[in-house]
Amino acid sequence: MQFGTVPCRLAVGSMVAIRARDRDRLAPTGKASLKGLLSTPDLIFGYMPRVDYGRMQPFLNKYIHRARTVALPNTQGIRHMFTMLIKGRVDWTVFDPTATAYLVNQMGIGDQIAIVPALEAEPEFTPGYMAGPRDAWGRHMLYRIDEILAREIVSGRLHDLLATWIPQDLRPDFDRHYKQLMQKPAQAFLDANANEPAE
């Protein structure tokens, strides 16, 4: 496989999902403390074994023995976890914020869920790239995709599409990383290929 040079998405690392009505109590500064959540005896953590929690994993490993947890098998899916969260069977969970925003809106519970960063693990922003076969056709197609992506990124259309699924509190960080990790490479691609004949 080979990869394009212009990013197609901006992934965000895991964040804490809680009931919106518990936000002032569990994330009074806009961020939730993993240590605090895991050390509070009356809170139940909705845990999915075999999920990689990224930068949060060391804190979960260190403090999870103190926490009340409900381990949900991966086969039951994250939808079930959010149903349990709304019904009060768990008090918090950790998941990808963009997938969470999409899923809870699809479930019709978007206004009942708050997605907040963890105090001990600021969200990471990572660009993703399109991939194709390592041959002449793949190179040609990736170049064409890069052209389209670069125009969509620089125009702001891709930003607006991606920002739809970013929690409101995370939007300033997302905007800053979007400019650095997506707009700059897209503009560099357009500048480097400005004199290339259209195919």
Side-chain angles (χ1 to χ4, degrees):
M1 299 295 284
Q2 59 186 333
F3 293 89
T5 58
V6 176
C8 63
R9 66 187 180 96
L10 192 56
V12 186
S14 295
M15 292 175 63
V16 176
I18 55 178
R19 287 180 293 275
R21 68 177 183 263
D22 294 336
R23 184 186 185 117
D24 289 343
R25 179 171 65 99
L26 301 181
T29 65
K31 297 178 182 180
S33 166
L34 290 175
K35 181 179 177 183
L37 292 171
L38 289 163
S39 300
T40 303
D42 63 330
L43 295 179
I44 300 171
F45 174 40
Y47 182 68
M48 295 187 76
R50 295 183 304 279
V51 167
D52 179 7
Y53 290 101
R55 294 172 68 186
M56 294 188 188
Q57 197 69 56
F59 293 94
L60 294 175
N61 292 344
K62 185 173 182 179
Y63 295 105
I64 201 164
H65 68 281
R66 298 183 189 179
R68 291 172 59 198
T69 62
V70 170
L72 183 68
N74 294 36
T75 54
Q76 287 187 300
I78 195 67
R79 279 180 176 269
H80 189 64
M81 182 66 77
F82 285 110
T83 299
M84 291 175 65
L85 183 60
I86 290 300
K87 291 184 176 182
R89 295 187 182 134
V90 299
D91 296 298
W92 65 286
T93 190
V94 173
F95 200 59
D96 170 89
T98 53
T100 297
Y102 174 79
L103 185 59
V104 297
N105 283 325
Q106 290 292 310
M107 295 172 68
I109 59 171
D111 60 335
Q112 298 176 58
I113 301 292
I115 307 163
V116 297
L119 190 62
E120 299 90 342
E122 290 290 325
E124 298 172 271
F125 291 82
T126 308
Y129 298 85
M130 297 296 289
R134 190 181 289 273
D135 58 17
W137 181 86
R139 279 190 299 280
H140 171 75
M141 292 309 295
L142 287 172
Y143 178 81
R144 297 290 292 139
I145 291 168
D146 281 346
E147 282 184 310
I148 294 165
L149 283 170
R151 287 194 301 269
E152 294 299 304
I153 289 168
V154 170
S155 74
R157 286 188 293 266
L158 188 59
H159 172 274
D160 294 344
L161 178 66
L162 296 176
T164 302
W165 306 112
I166 298 296
Q168 196 62 38
D169 292 342
L170 197 58
R171 194 70 64 82
D173 286 337
F174 172 80
D175 291 344
R176 189 175 76 252
H177 285 89
Y178 183 90
K179 286 177 185 171
Q180 184 67 33
L181 299 175
M182 294 193 75
Q183 276 185 330
K184 281 189 176 181
Q187 189 62 58
F189 175 88
L190 292 174
D191 291 345
N193 294 288
N195 297 322
E196 290 291 318
E199 295 186 29

